[in-house]
Amino acid sequence: MLVLLSILPILSIFFFLVILRWSARKGMFFSFIITVLIAYFGWQMGVVSITAASLKGVMTALEVGVIVFGAVLLLNVLKESGAVDTIRASFTSISPDRRVQAIIVAWLFGTFLEGAAGWGAPATIVGPLLIALGFPALAAVMIALMLQSTPVSYGAVGTPILVGVNTSLENQPVVDSYIGANGQAMSSFVFDVGAQVSIFHAIVGLFVPLLMSAMLTKFFGKNRSFREGFAIWPFAIFAGLAFVIPFSLVANFLGPEFPSLLGGLIGMAIVIPLARKGFLMPKNIFDFEPRETWRKSWFSDIATEVKPARNISMIKAWMPYVLVALLLVVTRIEALGVRALVSSWVVSFENILGTGINHSLTPFMIPGVVFIVVALLTGVLHGLDGRGMANAFKVSGKTIIAAMAALIVSVPLVQVFINSGINAGGFDSMPLVLAQGAANVFGDSWPLISPAIGALGAFAAGSNTVSNMMFGLFQFGVADQIGANPLYIVALQAVGGAAGNMICVHNVVAASAAAGLIGKEGTLISRLLIPTTFYLVLAGAVGYVWVNGLGLNIGLFLIIVILAVILSMILRSEKRMETN
């Protein structure tokens, strides 16, 4: 009964947002009420504990709000100064093909930002940037959210591994016994987990640029065809390899801090110069239909056509994003000494309402603060007058007000769900009960399911780090029970937690708000279930083979089927190009 009840909060979100297509503001409000009722009557969670968890959620929502506001403010300052036109030209000069632009901006630039900032911040930058390039807002947000997959396990300079996995496993008897028997220290085991995660991600993430292209042409192309997206497969696979190879090498030799950051940077350094020279560029250019034919739901509330008051040089136009990346990196690498300074001010709320629930935040470590600082510096750098800055703040304020209406109920729901372990009935929290039920059902087939549990945690909590905290020890325990190597199962947890970021309500709401797209969260989640399902099934299949070895098993069967489908789509796209 508890297992059935524990899945209701998740099902209610899908029902309201995906099936009924309600806005996040409305759907998450009713899902929050359902979660509270289940916590109170099913888990015997007291009113005080529910209130404390909700307060923690509100404070977390405010942090997310700062990120969204900062990202939108920076974009609006760039619009007011005319820099957006210059940025648009820098990408369209590489290729007018929208598939190529999406891959370069989201996959390469976006993964670099994920490595530096994490916490959903890259999608809030990439979405508005794609809109500025002329993408429909709905397409821009969909593509931006797809980048929240492969690089996420190493977001914010490795936080999901170094904090998420480590916090979940440290000082646990079953873990200490295992690593002690292998003559390892905890730090060494966490390093190995991070290395293994990169291998699983590299195998699956290789295909993400191809999926980005296919999703773009299927839902926003004139012919509504996946095949048009697969037609760019040489460039898409090349862009995938340009990221995942350095990404995996860095994880295995340097550790979990820099795989996404350096992978994205190296990928851009390889792909962009070659793309400018026409390497693997498609012969048939894909573009959207004229704006006047677009559906109403595709448009953003943010104005995209801005007449520049002046010409901004390429260096000046890109300098704000360079500053964002530099400040994010500098403030997150301990060896540089700046992190100790900016993280010295910590606002803590301990034992909220006497429940044992704690919350703390480091204001200057919130990525949104960096965005705001850079936006103010950009106003000076670009010579923007007071009227232009005031207009940027005004438009950004309207955007964040609309976003907070959804976030203010979405994140408290997550916190009630996570903290439901504080109850009078002595029950485990809802996520643990749900995961334990799944383990009982699947047994030795657990490697197939392990990534989905990670995704469940990310969907509920909005964070790969929190998902790893919630389920890391549980995944280790299941591996121990079924006789599998815990290293592989915990790695699959982290991989699934990264993939779940594509559909987690927290990220969908934040990215939509940053792009001025309110009320379409359900549509986005329903579409993003396609790449999310692909990622989880292929990761699970690879994990199953990794644990059980090559042989005639379900894992190998699924891998063959998936690769056959991809190959079939590529061949069909080639045939169509020949007939055209």
Side-chain angles (χ1 to χ4, degrees), residues 50 53 56 73 119 124 219 232 389 407 454 463 469 492 543 570:
I50 291 173
K56 178 179 173 66
L73 178 63
W119 302 100
T124 64
F219 294 105
I232 200 178
M389 286 297 295
L407 286 171
S463 164
M469 287 181 182
L492 289 170
I570 288 174

Side-chain angles (χ1 to χ4, degrees), residues 527-539:
R527 291 180 180 178
L528 287 165
L529 283 171
I530 297 172
T532 303
T533 301
F534 166 85
Y535 215 104
L536 297 178
V537 172
L538 183 53

Side-chain angles (χ1 to χ4, degrees), residues 3 433-444 446 474 478 481:
V3 171
V433 169
L434 184 57
Q436 288 163 358
N440 291 334
V441 171
F442 293 100
D444 290 343
W446 186 253
F474 166 71
V478 173
Q481 292 173 21

Side-chain angles (χ1 to χ4, degrees), residues 458-533:
F459 176 79
S463 164
N464 191 185
T465 300
V466 177
S467 177
N468 291 343
M469 287 181 182
M470 284 195 298
F471 294 133
L473 179 61
F474 166 71
Q475 298 265 19
F476 191 103
V478 173
D480 187 57
Q481 292 173 21
I482 66 174
N485 189 331
L487 172 67
Y488 301 149
I489 304 300
V490 174
L492 289 170
Q493 151 66 36
V495 170
N501 273 254
M502 284 189 277
I503 57 170
C504 80
V505 179
H506 171 303
N507 283 350
V508 172
V509 172
S512 298
L517 191 72
I518 307 299
K520 299 296 183 294
E521 296 87 359
T523 299
L524 286 164
I525 291 175
S526 64
R527 291 180 180 178
L528 287 165
L529 283 171
I530 297 172
T532 303
T533 301

Side-chain angles (χ1 to χ4, degrees), residues 6 63 98 129 172 397 443 471 477 488 542 557:
S6 66
E63 292 180 55
R98 299 299 189 175
L129 183 54
Q172 298 294 331
F471 294 133
Y488 301 149
V542 170
F557 172 77

